[in-house]
Amino acid sequence: MSESLVAKEADRALKAKHRAVWAAGDYAAVAEDVIPELGAVLARASGVHDGQRVLDVGAGTGNAAIPAALAGAEVVASDLTPELFDRGRELAAKRGAHLEWQQADAEALPFADDDFDVVLSCVGVMFAPHHQDSADEMVRVCKPGGTIGLLSWTPDGFIGRMFAAMKPYAPPPPPGAQPPPRWGDEAHVRELLGDRVTDVVAQRDTVHVDHFDGPEAFRDYFKANYGPTIAVYKAISDDPDKVSALDRDLADLARQFDVGDGSFAMDWEYLLLTAHERA
């Protein structure tokens, strides 16, 4: 087999693994229960309005795509994991939003150059393994003068710290794969987009999470529903000592982030970045 075919097979296997991770558990529940407002935050910051053509990359169940459609835009919600679309369609119908759902790899988007007025991703594209490839594709499909809007968990925020806590228990990443929370580092995103964009606006903010009764309740919910956490526990399932250690580490981390006054709550930090593609 030629070197190029070997590389293609390896990439196909990697993407199949990523799809399986996000199909596991119940990401729809996580998006609805824990971070329901984040997509609307991104759509507003990106200035989505009536008449625009909008692409949501790594759309999941439509956290950003549905608010964009409700703003009057023509929206395509794309994701590597189409298993999430059924719930997305239900949510869209419930809210009266009309949009298109299309399976797509963020690193090889099946859309024409300069096809969209706005290209969004709300804690979605950050999980594609090759950051530059994904950034290049988002720029490619965005029209000159169009808007790119990104909302990503930061490395030092709770989710970034959670991935760091899980890393010692997880299998080593494949060669060339980059950590998802790097998309929450403004300097990294500016480097990915380069001089192809202008008018970059970046700010850090937090989402207040008070869905859980306590640190252990958070941990158990993510063990049952969040694909990446499920995958790490699956990798160590035959080692009870490691399972117990990770149980302790995740609960301790959640305890460190408790900002509740009499009840458990956390503030999860994200980076919100918008830019215009250079005309």
Side-chain angles (χ1 to χ4, degrees):
M1 187 180 293
S2 70
E3 188 173 323
S4 63
L5 284 176
V6 170
K8 286 181 180 178
E9 285 301 316
D11 185 68
R12 188 175 293 114
L14 176 60
K15 297 304 168 56
K17 181 179 178 181
H18 273 250
R19 175 178 171 178
V21 164
W22 291 104
D26 189 353
Y27 183 73
V30 177
E32 294 168 50
D33 293 342
V34 186
I35 55 169
E37 67 268 40
L38 282 192
V41 168
L42 177 59
R44 284 195 301 270
S46 303
V48 175
H49 59 77
D50 182 56
Q52 290 181 317
R53 181 164 163 79
V54 175
L55 175 65
D56 185 3
V57 180
T61 54
N63 194 283
I66 292 172
L70 291 173
E74 175 192 338
V75 178
V76 178
S78 69
D79 201 284
L80 185 67
T81 308
E83 289 86 348
L84 301 173
F85 290 168
D86 285 347
R87 181 58 181 160
R89 291 187 180 99
E90 291 176 10
L91 293 170
K94 187 181 298 183
R95 298 181 62 184
H98 302 281
L99 59 153
E100 178 185 343
W101 302 83
Q102 183 165 344
Q103 183 178 9
D105 179 355
E107 298 176 6
L109 293 170
F111 307 108
D113 296 356
D114 308 333
D115 200 7
F116 295 92
D117 301 290
V118 182
V119 180
L120 304 173
S121 189
C122 181
V123 295
V125 73
M126 65 181 290
F127 293 102
H130 306 110
H131 295 186
Q132 192 63 64
D133 291 345
S134 300
D136 291 348
E137 282 294 273
M138 294 183 78
V139 171
R140 180 184 66 78
V141 302
C142 186
K143 293 179 180 178
T147 300
I148 294 174
L150 301 164
L151 192 153
S152 310
W153 302 121
T154 63
D156 295 329
F158 179 76
I159 296 296
R161 292 276 300 279
M162 184 187 77
F163 274 91
M166 294 192 301
K167 184 177 179 180
Y169 302 93
Q178 294 173 283
R182 291 202 67 194
W183 279 89
D185 177 350
E186 180 183 345
H188 180 63
V189 180
R190 283 180 176 269
E191 183 178 353
L192 292 174
L193 298 175
D195 62 4
R196 299 172 296 180
V197 300
T198 186
D199 304 323
V200 176
V201 177
Q203 64 183 53
R204 292 185 177 214
D205 207 337
T206 59
V207 56
H208 189 65
V209 176
D210 58 6
H211 180 75
F212 307 105
D213 291 336
E216 289 77 15
F218 154 76
R219 178 200 63 210
D220 293 344
Y221 181 96
F222 263 52
K223 282 178 69 173
N225 294 294
Y226 191 62
T229 307
I230 293 169
V232 174
Y233 273 99
K234 182 178 180 181
I236 60 173
S237 61
D238 60 350
D239 190 330
D241 290 340
K242 285 186 177 180
V243 171
S244 295
L246 182 54
D247 277 350
R248 182 181 61 249
D249 289 351
L250 291 182
D252 286 349
L253 179 64
R255 196 169 290 110
Q256 292 172 31
F257 275 78
D258 183 9
V259 296
D261 183 10
S263 61
F264 180 73
M266 296 179 282
D267 289 333
W268 295 359
E269 186 182 61
Y270 59 84
L271 176 73
L272 176 60
L273 185 146
T274 60
H276 292 136
E277 183 166 340
R278 198 175 292 277

